[in-house]
Amino acid sequence: MKHQEVLSMGPVTGIKNKGMIPENPPTLPVKDLLGQPDIRFSPIADDMTGRIRLWIVRKESFSDYLSDRHRSGEQKAQVLLEDIRLLETALDAFHHLPEEGRLVFFLHPESMAHVDFSESLRTTLKNKKVSSRRILLGIHEEDLDTLTDMSSSALFIHTERGTGLCICGGAGNGLSLLRLAGLQPDLFLLESSAFQQHVSGQDHAALMVGLLSDACRRIQCVLGVIHIHKIKDRRYFKELGFSLMQGAAIAPESSLPSLHHIEENGGGSSREWSVFPGSQGSGVGYLASPGITALVSDTVEEISRILKNRSPTDSICLLKEKRPVGLLMRYHLDRHLSSPYGNALFLKKSVARIMDTEPVIRDAGTPLDEVARAAMSRSAERLYDDILITENGLYKGTVSIRSLLDVMARIQVETARGANPLTGLPGNTSIEKNMAEYRQNQVRMSLIYADLDHFKAYNDCFGFEAGDRMLMFTSRLIRESASICCGKNTFIGHVGGDDFVIFTHPAEAESFAKDLTEKFERETQVLYPDGIRNQGFFQGKSRDGTVCPFPMVSISLGIVDCQFHPGMDSSQLSLRVAQIKGYAKSRKGNSWVRDRRQISAPGESILDKGVV
């Protein structure tokens, strides 16, 4: 199984705008076509952290001017030569970044189909001393149909060398989910403008994204959105559940990629990109929409004008000093005014006379199941009224019953099929099934058990929203380290809470552990407020309730090598994993420990220890 953790993409190179290709392409000398490439890097950021680890190379390649009907053998070779030279120039500017940096390089279809491409790519990466796992080869969905001489299996010839595969498109009729599953890309980039033209309304958009997300999750493909050039589009796609984005509203292009590009030049303010105050956990806050508000002192007539021509299911929240004190649904307003003498009785009166003075009001951090229980316990006439959401006591927005039930149903589906509803990683059912396949096929794997230290104290100190963010962030770091250090048969599972398991080839286990522990030490700093980050510890409660200082949350990894076979004793594996994990947790900081004894063979334990 594949586990690629990448961020999203922007304008791409080598993709033909078919409406702009001339009937008779210009005949230009090769030396003019192959000038020094003027490339730009389009950064892609994670909306949860504001961090960038993925860039797309952008250049108007001369390949775009060659129509399908006018390519000679020499021109096809020129296309490949141009793309390789562009890649070389990009790698010169890219190689200085840390190992987590990844490059999405979009190719002309002729380049990928060329018989010499695979060897040219291998040689280029070797000469530039860049690992193939830091490269994703990109193809536009429209160009998939033009590869008449290249089957889907040919795509895997290149990706089997270690590079990833990225497909970019609008997820319209041109790319079926079945075809997506067959290609099994590591990254799918949704073109925002094409997608918005294809869908008709927010509900349709949510349905399409749900289907696409489900398909991507099944093949372990990361989903991102590109061309986010306006703040309103950023909010739109964030409400649809996207966190991986590219565009002018996220971060500008540059001639040199930088890890800290977003903090310096991001499309939003620094406060908007701050992770810690945000809300992206399992709390109900991320479902809230701005809604309609008015003052509790307004008259019914004024409220009636505001709600005129709106849907019967729309609502208005009544505020007093920015705090919600009441709710009025449109259908309740209509019921009052349509009653005998309703206009005479209510129009000139304060809306407080007819509003619901006891609506369901919950803080943004309240768990979804708790909100659902409160909503469903109301009387029949108020059962479908909106829910009011606050943050620090002030009005934040409203949540409709429909959106709440949709999310709850999605969580139930995820749980039923064995996925962790928070991280989306396979849960215990899938882990057991995977281990059964290992035993049956008698494979040799390393089991890496990951556990967070001081997580309970962190969760109690900063709240479960912050705890959820920590778990989601950890799952992303695990995926990212696996994509860089491990092969495509690596399996990642979420046991529950702060416990994760990774199955990978024994030769890849230590490089994964080193990469993850170093990355966790460096990257999780964004999950603390500035004051806590500067002092290096936080105050929390110990198990006996005593308030005391705790170090920053760290990760401990225990590695056990396993030769699986049908008669393997799972209890022996569990005991060994518990022992080695306990040893790792006894060490301070982010650490990993490896037990080299194979489960199937006796022997003394040889421990390899690593501490960041």
Side-chain angles (χ1 to χ4, degrees), residues 23-132:
E23 285 292 322
N24 297 302
T27 302
L28 299 175
V30 173
K31 61 182 178 64
D32 293 337
L33 291 173
L34 297 180
Q36 178 66 26
D38 179 20
I39 64 173
R40 307 286 289 174
F41 290 87
S42 296
I44 299 160
D46 185 340
D47 195 59
M48 180 192 293
T49 66
R51 293 283 180 170
I52 297 173
R53 292 190 188 84
L54 190 79
W55 294 264
I56 291 95
V57 177
R58 183 168 180 245
K59 178 185 181 292
E60 186 178 33
S61 170
F62 87 94
S63 307
D64 297 337
Y65 297 104
L66 300 177
S67 75
D68 294 347
R69 294 176 297 172
H70 295 83
R71 291 199 203 102
S72 65
E74 180 185 4
Q75 286 175 324
K76 291 180 180 180
Q78 292 172 6
V79 172
L80 174 61
L81 181 58
E82 167 70 359
D83 274 347
I84 291 298
R85 288 194 59 178
L86 177 62
L87 177 60
E88 290 176 341
T89 304
L91 293 178
D92 286 337
F94 180 73
H95 79 279
H96 74 283
L97 294 174
E99 278 298 309
E100 63 261 29
R102 306 197 75 190
L103 188 73
V104 179
F105 184 71
F106 272 78
L107 297 157
H108 191 285
E110 287 291 353
S111 292
M112 187 173 279
H114 199 283
V115 65
D116 295 329
F117 170 72
S118 184
E119 183 61 25
S120 297
L121 176 64
R122 185 193 67 80
T123 302
T124 300
L125 295 178
K126 181 180 179 181
N127 292 340
K128 298 298 181 180
K129 298 180 180 179
V130 175
S131 169
S132 61

Side-chain angles (χ1 to χ4, degrees), residues 238 452 495 526 594:
K238 187 173 182 178
L452 299 185
V495 179
V526 298
R594 183 172 197 169

Side-chain angles (χ1 to χ4, degrees), residues 475-496:
S475 72
R476 293 191 179 189
L477 292 182
I478 291 174
R479 285 179 174 129
E480 184 176 315
S481 292
S483 72
I484 294 172
C485 304
C486 304
K488 295 190 174 182
N489 290 325
T490 298
F491 175 84
I492 304 174
H494 190 171
V495 179

